[in-house]
PDB file of all heavy atoms in Angstrom:
ATOM      1  N   LEU A 272     -11.483  -1.753 -13.792  1.00  0.00           N
ATOM      2  CA  LEU A 272     -10.732  -0.546 -14.110  1.00  0.00           C
ATOM      3  C   LEU A 272     -10.771  -0.271 -15.607  1.00  0.00           C
ATOM      4  O   LEU A 272     -10.397  -1.114 -16.401  1.00  0.00           O
ATOM      5  CB  LEU A 272      -9.286  -0.742 -13.639  1.00  0.00           C
ATOM      6  CG  LEU A 272      -8.340   0.424 -13.673  1.00  0.00           C
ATOM      7  CD1 LEU A 272      -8.750   1.451 -12.631  1.00  0.00           C
ATOM      8  CD2 LEU A 272      -6.933  -0.061 -13.389  1.00  0.00           C
ATOM      9  N   LEU A 286     -11.760   4.563  -5.778  1.00  0.00           N
ATOM     10  CA  LEU A 286     -11.488   4.446  -4.343  1.00  0.00           C
ATOM     11  C   LEU A 286     -12.752   4.100  -3.569  1.00  0.00           C
ATOM     12  O   LEU A 286     -12.705   3.334  -2.606  1.00  0.00           O
ATOM     13  CB  LEU A 286     -10.857   5.735  -3.809  1.00  0.00           C
ATOM     14  CG  LEU A 286      -9.424   5.993  -4.270  1.00  0.00           C
ATOM     15  CD1 LEU A 286      -8.951   7.368  -3.812  1.00  0.00           C
ATOM     16  CD2 LEU A 286      -8.471   4.907  -3.788  1.00  0.00           C
ATOM     17  N   SER A 305      -4.175 -23.628  -4.522  1.00  0.00           N
ATOM     18  CA  SER A 305      -4.817 -22.365  -4.890  1.00  0.00           C
ATOM     19  C   SER A 305      -3.792 -21.388  -5.459  1.00  0.00           C
ATOM     20  O   SER A 305      -4.067 -20.674  -6.420  1.00  0.00           O
ATOM     21  CB  SER A 305      -5.475 -21.696  -3.684  1.00  0.00           C
ATOM     22  OG  SER A 305      -6.290 -22.555  -2.962  1.00  0.00           O
ATOM     23  N   ALA A 313      -0.642 -10.226  -8.041  1.00  0.00           N
ATOM     24  CA  ALA A 313      -0.931  -9.566  -6.762  1.00  0.00           C
ATOM     25  C   ALA A 313      -1.652 -10.523  -5.812  1.00  0.00           C
ATOM     26  O   ALA A 313      -1.297 -10.631  -4.636  1.00  0.00           O
ATOM     27  CB  ALA A 313      -1.760  -8.307  -6.987  1.00  0.00           C
ATOM     28  N   THR A 320       1.981 -14.859   1.132  1.00  0.00           N
ATOM     29  CA  THR A 320       2.140 -14.229   2.447  1.00  0.00           C
ATOM     30  C   THR A 320       1.347 -14.989   3.499  1.00  0.00           C
ATOM     31  O   THR A 320       1.845 -15.253   4.595  1.00  0.00           O
ATOM     32  CB  THR A 320       1.684 -12.756   2.381  1.00  0.00           C
ATOM     33  OG1 THR A 320       2.491 -12.062   1.429  1.00  0.00           O
ATOM     34  CG2 THR A 320       1.782 -12.087   3.725  1.00  0.00           C
ATOM     35  N   LYS A 325       1.466 -18.684   8.056  1.00  0.00           N
ATOM     36  CA  LYS A 325       0.873 -19.894   8.626  1.00  0.00           C
ATOM     37  C   LYS A 325       1.928 -20.954   8.932  1.00  0.00           C
ATOM     38  O   LYS A 325       1.897 -21.582   9.996  1.00  0.00           O
ATOM     39  CB  LYS A 325      -0.161 -20.461   7.652  1.00  0.00           C
ATOM     40  CG  LYS A 325      -0.886 -21.681   8.154  1.00  0.00           C
ATOM     41  CD  LYS A 325      -1.954 -22.105   7.158  1.00  0.00           C
ATOM     42  CE  LYS A 325      -2.706 -23.331   7.616  1.00  0.00           C
ATOM     43  NZ  LYS A 325      -3.730 -23.729   6.636  1.00  0.00           N
ATOM     44  N   GLU A 339       6.795   1.572  -7.683  1.00  0.00           N
ATOM     45  CA  GLU A 339       6.247   2.652  -8.508  1.00  0.00           C
ATOM     46  C   GLU A 339       4.798   2.965  -8.143  1.00  0.00           C
ATOM     47  O   GLU A 339       3.898   2.942  -8.975  1.00  0.00           O
ATOM     48  CB  GLU A 339       6.390   2.324  -9.990  1.00  0.00           C
ATOM     49  CG  GLU A 339       7.832   2.253 -10.426  1.00  0.00           C
ATOM     50  CD  GLU A 339       8.005   2.043 -11.918  1.00  0.00           C
ATOM     51  OE1 GLU A 339       7.042   2.235 -12.678  1.00  0.00           O
ATOM     52  OE2 GLU A 339       9.118   1.676 -12.307  1.00  0.00           O
ATOM     53  N   LEU A 350      -4.596  -3.441   0.378  1.00  0.00           N
ATOM     54  CA  LEU A 350      -5.335  -3.582   1.637  1.00  0.00           C
ATOM     55  C   LEU A 350      -6.500  -4.555   1.468  1.00  0.00           C
ATOM     56  O   LEU A 350      -6.748  -5.400   2.339  1.00  0.00           O
ATOM     57  CB  LEU A 350      -5.829  -2.215   2.123  1.00  0.00           C
ATOM     58  CG  LEU A 350      -6.590  -2.206   3.445  1.00  0.00           C
ATOM     59  CD1 LEU A 350      -5.755  -2.787   4.583  1.00  0.00           C
ATOM     60  CD2 LEU A 350      -7.038  -0.782   3.779  1.00  0.00           C
ATOM     61  N   PHE A 352      -6.701  -7.086  -0.691  1.00  0.00           N
ATOM     62  CA  PHE A 352      -6.167  -8.448  -0.762  1.00  0.00           C
ATOM     63  C   PHE A 352      -5.667  -8.922   0.607  1.00  0.00           C
ATOM     64  O   PHE A 352      -5.808 -10.097   0.947  1.00  0.00           O
ATOM     65  CB  PHE A 352      -5.047  -8.553  -1.798  1.00  0.00           C
ATOM     66  CG  PHE A 352      -5.520  -8.534  -3.218  1.00  0.00           C
ATOM     67  CD1 PHE A 352      -4.826  -7.840  -4.184  1.00  0.00           C
ATOM     68  CD2 PHE A 352      -6.656  -9.232  -3.608  1.00  0.00           C
ATOM     69  CE1 PHE A 352      -5.253  -7.818  -5.502  1.00  0.00           C
ATOM     70  CE2 PHE A 352      -7.090  -9.216  -4.920  1.00  0.00           C
ATOM     71  CZ  PHE A 352      -6.389  -8.508  -5.868  1.00  0.00           C
ATOM     72  N   LEU A 355      -8.738 -10.000   2.277  1.00  0.00           N
ATOM     73  CA  LEU A 355      -9.293 -11.177   1.609  1.00  0.00           C
ATOM     74  C   LEU A 355      -8.571 -12.447   2.050  1.00  0.00           C
ATOM     75  O   LEU A 355      -9.196 -13.490   2.247  1.00  0.00           O
ATOM     76  CB  LEU A 355      -9.198 -11.016   0.087  1.00  0.00           C
ATOM     77  CG  LEU A 355      -9.740 -12.166  -0.758  1.00  0.00           C
ATOM     78  CD1 LEU A 355     -11.251 -12.329  -0.569  1.00  0.00           C
ATOM     79  CD2 LEU A 355      -9.395 -11.944  -2.228  1.00  0.00           C
ATOM     80  N   ASP A 363       2.794  -5.026   6.555  1.00  0.00           N
ATOM     81  CA  ASP A 363       2.999  -3.585   6.408  1.00  0.00           C
ATOM     82  C   ASP A 363       2.962  -3.265   4.921  1.00  0.00           C
ATOM     83  O   ASP A 363       3.902  -3.575   4.189  1.00  0.00           O
ATOM     84  CB  ASP A 363       4.351  -3.156   6.982  1.00  0.00           C
ATOM     85  CG  ASP A 363       4.432  -3.327   8.478  1.00  0.00           C
ATOM     86  OD1 ASP A 363       3.411  -3.110   9.151  1.00  0.00           O
ATOM     87  OD2 ASP A 363       5.520  -3.661   8.973  1.00  0.00           O
ATOM     88  N   ILE A 364       1.871  -2.686   4.476  1.00  0.00           N
ATOM     89  CA  ILE A 364       1.742  -2.297   3.074  1.00  0.00           C
ATOM     90  C   ILE A 364       2.586  -1.045   2.893  1.00  0.00           C
ATOM     91  O   ILE A 364       2.341  -0.022   3.530  1.00  0.00           O
ATOM     92  CB  ILE A 364       0.271  -2.048   2.697  1.00  0.00           C
ATOM     93  CG1 ILE A 364      -0.528  -3.347   2.890  1.00  0.00           C
ATOM     94  CG2 ILE A 364       0.159  -1.531   1.272  1.00  0.00           C
ATOM     95  CD1 ILE A 364      -2.020  -3.168   2.787  1.00  0.00           C
ATOM     96  N   LEU A 385      -4.986   8.619   3.808  1.00  0.00           N
ATOM     97  CA  LEU A 385      -5.331   8.952   5.191  1.00  0.00           C
ATOM     98  C   LEU A 385      -6.756   9.476   5.332  1.00  0.00           C
ATOM     99  O   LEU A 385      -7.320   9.462   6.420  1.00  0.00           O
ATOM    100  CB  LEU A 385      -4.335   9.963   5.767  1.00  0.00           C
ATOM    101  CG  LEU A 385      -2.913   9.434   5.971  1.00  0.00           C
ATOM    102  CD1 LEU A 385      -1.980  10.557   6.405  1.00  0.00           C
ATOM    103  CD2 LEU A 385      -2.885   8.288   6.962  1.00  0.00           C
ATOM    104  N   GLY A 405      12.965   5.325  -3.367  1.00  0.00           N
ATOM    105  CA  GLY A 405      13.984   4.632  -4.154  1.00  0.00           C
ATOM    106  C   GLY A 405      15.139   5.530  -4.491  1.00  0.00           C
ATOM    107  O   GLY A 405      15.181   6.141  -5.559  1.00  0.00           O
ATOM    108  N   SER A 416      21.974  14.565  -6.516  1.00  0.00           N
ATOM    109  CA  SER A 416      21.713  15.755  -5.674  1.00  0.00           C
ATOM    110  C   SER A 416      20.231  16.111  -5.662  1.00  0.00           C
ATOM    111  O   SER A 416      19.651  16.372  -4.600  1.00  0.00           O
ATOM    112  CB  SER A 416      22.531  16.950  -6.172  1.00  0.00           C
ATOM    113  OG  SER A 416      23.903  16.663  -6.076  1.00  0.00           O
ATOM    114  N   ALA A 417      19.610  16.122  -6.825  1.00  0.00           N
ATOM    115  CA  ALA A 417      18.179  16.444  -6.907  1.00  0.00           C
ATOM    116  C   ALA A 417      17.351  15.370  -6.207  1.00  0.00           C
ATOM    117  O   ALA A 417      16.343  15.681  -5.565  1.00  0.00           O
ATOM    118  CB  ALA A 417      17.757  16.586  -8.359  1.00  0.00           C
ATOM    119  N   ASP A 435      -1.252  16.337  10.173  1.00  0.00           N
ATOM    120  CA  ASP A 435      -2.494  17.025   9.787  1.00  0.00           C
ATOM    121  C   ASP A 435      -3.727  16.140   9.939  1.00  0.00           C
ATOM    122  O   ASP A 435      -4.822  16.639  10.178  1.00  0.00           O
ATOM    123  CB  ASP A 435      -2.417  17.512   8.335  1.00  0.00           C
ATOM    124  CG  ASP A 435      -1.449  18.670   8.150  1.00  0.00           C
ATOM    125  OD1 ASP A 435      -1.014  19.270   9.166  1.00  0.00           O
ATOM    126  OD2 ASP A 435      -1.101  18.961   6.984  1.00  0.00           O
TER     127      ASP A 435
END
Side-chain angles (χ1 to χ4, degrees):
L272 188 69
L286 290 174
S305 310
T320 300
K325 182 176 180 180
E339 295 185 15
L350 181 58
F352 286 140
L355 180 65
D363 294 324
I364 298 170
L385 292 174
S416 298
D435 289 347

